[in-house]
Amino acid sequence: MAYKSLFSVLTDPKLTENTLAHAIAMAETVDAHLDVLCLGVDRSQTGYYYAGANAMVLQETINRAQEDAKSIEAQARDILGRSGIRWATDTGVAQLADIGRHVAAHARFSDLVIQPQPYGEDRGAELEPVVESAMFEGQTPVLVVPDDGGPKPAPESVMIGWNESAEALNAVRAALPMLATAETVHVVVIDPPTHGPNRSDPGGLLSQYLSRHGVRAEVDVLSKTLPRVSDVLTRHATDIGADMIVMGAYGHSRFREAILGGATRYMLEQAKLPVFMAH
């Protein structure tokens, strides 16, 4: 499947230019349409309005969020208008606790969502649920792009974090259009299982699957020599000069439908290159 419908959510004017640079480059490369949701976020504490806040305070926060959305849209339209791609923008307002519903409604009709890193200095609390809801509720792969480095929509070297999970396989399948055009693809297995049908050939079945799609893949088996799996993956990505990391995203909370945890969160915090994720 080709990526013909791309989607981005913009909530922070400081991140708009970089996010759109990556999204526009991808749209140009794959000849896709880019939809952009410019979202004004009401960051008031959940339940605040039910604790005695009057209607004037409620209206003031809504007005502020609406102004933010319009300002971000004006910035986005200026950038998009100077590109040669097909695009459309929309605005909306959402409370922090209700972002997922709005994002998922758009993401589910897209092939790929392109978002900035949700963690880092001066990052808004809304960035994490935007990424989460696109993947978990919208069931759409997400390409998380770093602040540094120019767009590379056709990566030459791709690293796959492989652990035989359904999430990792879903990410690989969703990334096939980019894997097929890459010069090298590294299937990275860390501490492969000592029992099971794949113990003697870790990553072998995935490599065979990829080869049938015209992907030139090689398997790298590594030991967990650092405290976290994400540390090993990040270091190996640097060693092989990877342009993108493909991995599954995992949910660990019983109290939320979607939460980034463990290796997923650490990877998004550390990665200096785009991370392609699916659930």
Side-chain angles (χ1 to χ4, degrees):
M1 182 195 72
Y3 306 127
K4 290 302 177 184
S5 182
L6 307 180
F7 176 57
S8 286
V9 181
L10 302 177
T11 61
D12 187 339
K14 299 188 300 295
L15 303 175
T16 295
E17 188 171 351
N18 181 63
T19 304
L20 287 182
H22 285 270
I24 290 171
M26 178 65 73
E28 290 174 339
T29 300
V30 300
D31 189 26
H33 186 283
L34 173 61
D35 289 301
V36 178
L37 175 60
C38 304
L39 201 58
V41 181
D42 176 4
R43 297 178 173 83
S44 303
Q45 183 178 357
T46 303
Y48 173 72
Y49 301 128
Y50 306 99
N54 61 36
M56 290 183 61
V57 174
L58 170 60
Q59 189 60 49
E60 181 183 349
T61 59
I62 293 176
N63 290 342
R64 188 183 305 120
Q66 289 175 335
E67 291 171 3
D68 290 344
K70 291 178 181 178
S71 176
I72 293 171
E73 184 184 37
Q75 182 186 11
R77 291 181 71 89
D78 177 61
I79 296 171
L80 291 165
R82 290 183 267 115
S83 72
I85 67 168
R86 301 184 302 279
W87 57 272
T89 62
D90 193 8
T91 60
V93 172
Q95 243 194 330
L96 190 58
D98 194 36
I99 283 180
R101 180 169 59 89
H102 297 273
V103 173
H106 290 75
R108 64 196 296 253
F109 294 105
S110 304
D111 299 318
L112 179 64
V113 178
I114 300 170
Q115 289 300 123
Q117 283 180 307
Y119 309 112
E121 189 175 354
D122 296 327
R123 289 294 202 266
E126 77 281 356
L127 294 176
E128 183 182 32
V130 167
V131 173
E132 292 176 356
S133 57
M135 277 192 301
F136 290 77
E137 298 171 35
Q139 291 293 298
T140 307
V142 177
L143 181 65
V144 179
V145 298
D147 294 340
D148 301 324
K152 201 156 188 180
E156 297 175 3
S157 177
V158 180
M159 188 186 84
I160 299 171
W162 180 243
N163 63 355
E164 300 185 9
S165 68
E167 291 86 357
L169 184 55
N170 286 338
V172 170
R173 286 187 172 128
L176 274 175
M178 283 189 277
L179 297 176
T181 59
E183 292 185 6
T184 58
V185 173
H186 294 259
V187 177
V188 179
V189 182
I190 299 175
D191 284 349
T194 56
H195 303 283
N198 300 319
R199 67 185 184 280
S200 61
D201 187 19
L205 289 177
L206 177 63
S207 180
Q208 175 183 276
Y209 170 78
L210 290 172
S211 68
R212 291 172 179 172
H213 284 274
V215 178
R216 297 177 292 276
E218 53 187 82
V219 179
D220 300 341
V221 179
L222 308 177
S223 298
K224 188 183 174 186
T225 55
L226 295 171
R228 294 190 293 253
V229 168
S230 57
D231 296 329
V232 180
L233 290 173
T234 301
R235 185 178 66 180
H236 193 65
T238 301
D239 291 344
I240 64 176
D243 300 315
M244 185 177 77
I245 298 172
V246 175
M247 62 182 294
Y250 308 97
H252 291 290
S253 175
R254 296 177 58 187
F255 305 103
R256 300 176 61 188
E257 282 188 31
I259 183 168
L260 302 181
T264 310
R265 182 185 180 102
Y266 285 126
M267 179 59 70
L268 291 184
E269 288 178 340
Q270 299 172 7
K272 303 299 182 185
L273 65 163
V275 179
F276 185 105
M277 296 188 303
H279 181 63

